[in-house]
Amino acid sequence: MSREMVPEYWRNREMYLRPMGSVCKDCGSKYFPPRKICLKCGSKNLEKYELSEKGRVLSWTVVRYPSEEFSKYSPYVLGLIELDDGTRLVAQISDVSIDEMHIGMRVKMMIRRAFEEGESGIIRYVYKFVPDIKEK
Ligand SMILES: [Zn+2]
């Protein structure tokens, strides 16, 4: 079986940012990306908090036919991740070979500038995860 690599297109990490989520002060639900209204209890009493940067993989899949804007990154790994603070989110996992992927794998969040949109030049930010090196 050939060793299939996910493209390492985010080597340059100078745009690294601190991930922020929001937490409901009434029921404790956590959200990323941040929300202004709690989905669980309807409260508007949410405040920003600094997300855990690290977590583990709950499940994952390989995306071979993504939407056009991500087609140059295909194939890539999409994972359901639970951060150490309990926040769950779906994100791309990169800098990893598909053979190395496993449930429970420790990962670390990176936030990067992704692409600029059309002539308006609106900059979009995306987040992804990479293997947490300390695990190895
Ligand atoms: Zn709530």
Side-chain angles (χ1 to χ4, degrees), residues 24-29 31 38-43 46:
C24 176
K25 293 177 78 175
D26 292 322
C27 77
S29 296
Y31 299 99
C38 180
L39 287 177
K40 195 173 176 185
C41 76
S43 170
L46 277 72

Side-chain angles (χ1 to χ4, degrees), residues 21 41 60 65 69 123 125:
C41 76
W60 60 280
Y65 304 101
E69 67 192 33
I123 296 166
Y125 289 87

Side-chain angles (χ1 to χ4, degrees), residues 19-52:
M20 299 295 289
S22 62
V23 58
C24 176
K25 293 177 78 175
D26 292 322
C27 77
S29 296
K30 292 176 173 176
Y31 299 99
F32 181 82
R35 297 186 57 87
K36 289 191 164 66
I37 298 172
C38 180
L39 287 177
K40 195 173 176 185
C41 76
S43 170
K44 294 179 179 174
N45 191 17
L46 277 72
E47 65 178 14
K48 285 195 170 180
Y49 77 105
E50 220 169 69
L51 286 172
S52 294

Side-chain angles (χ1 to χ4, degrees), residues 6 31 37 40 48 62 91 100 102 133:
V6 173
Y31 299 99
I37 298 172
K40 195 173 176 185
K48 285 195 170 180
V62 178
E100 284 172 334
H102 59 275
I133 305 301

Side-chain angles (χ1 to χ4, degrees), residues 6-11 13 76-78 91-97 101 105 107 110 128-131:
V6 173
E8 297 180 38
Y9 55 92
W10 260 346
R11 279 183 200 281
R13 291 172 181 170
Y76 63 84
V77 176
L78 198 62
Q92 186 177 347
I93 301 169
S94 76
D95 299 3
V96 65
S97 76
M101 285 301 306
M105 187 174 81
V107 290
M110 312 287 295
K128 65 155 190 175
F129 286 79
V130 297

